[in-house]
Amino acid sequence: MKDPASNTFLGAGSLSAKAGFLFAHSLMPTVMLALGVLEIFIYYGA
């Protein structure tokens, strides 16, 4: 860290790994629903 006063553990620009992880985690219900619907379509031969 070249400038500890402005660069914290949140990272430069206040984006952090935690925020990225939480965003990815918020996509899980949508992905799980899409995969479930796909499995239903496959079961019925669509």
Side-chain angles (χ1 to χ4, degrees), residues 12-28:
S14 67
L15 294 175
S16 65
K18 181 180 177 182
F21 177 77
L22 291 175
F23 174 71
H25 192 271
S26 70
L27 295 176
M28 283 178 52

